[in-house]
């Protein structure tokens, strides 16, 4: 990693509301552009949203909230998960599931198909799920602009910029249902 990238990762970890993050992101996007032909496998895993240009509360980083994104390109699946940090997070989460398709060197197409509430896991019953089909009325995509084993920067179809850090503490299988093929 470069010093510029190290500094951005450190800010995202320690002070995700720092005013310099937007400029640092733009600089890194220019210096180290992503190429999904080369690096698509680095998308795999669970990512923690640490910064967003959005004003929407569910797309912002908050110290009391986990805003996770799981990407499983082997199954062409993804999941956004919003839950409270700490022990209260086990009582429920909001989840939106999607199919994913890498369509060029930067863009990943996202088609949301199911969303709702994921409750706690109960002995003998499994996890309580209240999910409904989602009718996506617009094309969604993410342009991946910076990508490595620790950091992902992307821009969404609504113009929002996101900076996410890879989490090695959560297994992707805990967030995305696995195909039994």
């Amino acid at each position: 990693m470069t010093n510029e990238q190290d500094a951005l990762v450190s800010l995202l970890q320690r002070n995700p509301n720092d005013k310099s993050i937007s400029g640092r992101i733009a600089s890194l996007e220019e210096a180290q552009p992503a190429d999904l032909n080369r690096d698509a496998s680095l998308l795999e895993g669970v990512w923690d949203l640490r910064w967003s240009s959005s004003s929407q509360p569910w797309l912002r980083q908050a110290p009391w909230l986990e805003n996770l994104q799981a990407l499983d390109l082997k199954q062409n699946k993804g999941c956004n998960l919003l839950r409270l940090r700490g022990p209260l997070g086990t009582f429920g989460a909001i989840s939106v599931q999607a199919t994913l398709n890498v369509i060029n060197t930067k863009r990943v197409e996202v088609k949301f198909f199911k969303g709702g509430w994921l409750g706690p896991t109960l002995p003998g019953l499994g996890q309580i799920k209240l999910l409904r089909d989602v009718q996506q009325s617009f094309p969604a995509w993410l342009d991946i602009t910076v990508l490595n084993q620790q950091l992902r920067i992307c821009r969404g179809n609504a113009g929002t910029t996101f900076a996410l850090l890879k989490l090695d503490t959560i297994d992707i299988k805990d967030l995305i249902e696995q195909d039994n093929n």
Side-chain angles (χ1 to χ4, degrees):
M1 277 199 292
T2 65
N3 288 340
E4 191 175 337
Q5 186 175 312
D6 286 340
L8 177 58
V9 167
S10 180
L11 273 177
L12 292 170
Q13 291 169 332
R14 292 182 294 99
N15 188 9
N17 295 316
D18 188 284
K19 301 287 185 215
S20 72
I21 289 177
S22 179
R24 291 174 184 269
I25 284 173
S27 176
L28 202 55
E29 286 175 322
E30 189 173 314
Q32 297 178 14
D35 180 349
L36 295 180
N37 286 338
R38 176 190 67 221
D39 299 328
S41 65
L42 295 174
L43 288 171
E44 265 321 288
V46 179
W47 297 86
D48 182 20
L49 179 68
R50 300 300 300 160
W51 182 88
S52 166
S53 64
S54 177
S55 60
Q56 301 298 328
W58 58 88
L59 293 178
R60 303 281 302 169
Q61 192 281 336
W64 48 272
L65 193 63
E66 277 187 309
N67 196 329
L68 305 177
Q69 190 174 81
L71 304 175
D72 184 345
L73 293 182
K74 292 177 190 101
Q75 294 192 86
N76 291 346
K77 288 184 179 181
C79 172
N80 290 338
L81 187 83
L82 200 57
R83 66 184 178 193
L84 295 174
R85 287 194 189 275
L88 292 178
T90 61
F91 290 109
I94 303 298
S95 174
V96 181
Q97 299 171 23
T99 57
L100 306 174
N101 185 27
V102 176
I103 58 175
N104 63 33
T105 61
K106 296 237 180 277
R107 188 160 289 178
V108 176
E109 179 184 58
V110 181
K111 293 182 182 176
F112 297 103
F113 66 89
K114 193 181 292 187
W117 181 73
L118 299 176
T121 300
L122 300 176
L125 296 176
Q127 186 176 33
I128 298 171
K129 298 178 183 181
L130 299 172
L131 299 172
R132 297 178 57 177
D133 290 341
V134 172
Q135 299 302 318
Q136 183 175 328
S137 59
F138 58 91
W141 47 260
L142 289 172
D143 280 345
I144 311 302
T145 59
V146 174
L147 179 63
N148 61 47
Q149 293 176 342
Q150 186 177 19
L151 173 68
R152 177 167 53 100
I153 299 171
C154 48
R155 296 180 180 268
N157 54 280
T160 303
T161 303
F162 304 96
L164 303 97
L165 296 177
K166 178 83 69 86
L167 288 180
D168 294 325
T169 56
I170 299 175
D171 190 331
I172 196 167
K173 294 175 187 159
D174 293 337
L175 301 180
I176 296 179
E177 289 184 22
Q178 302 297 300
D179 289 338
N180 296 322
N181 294 340

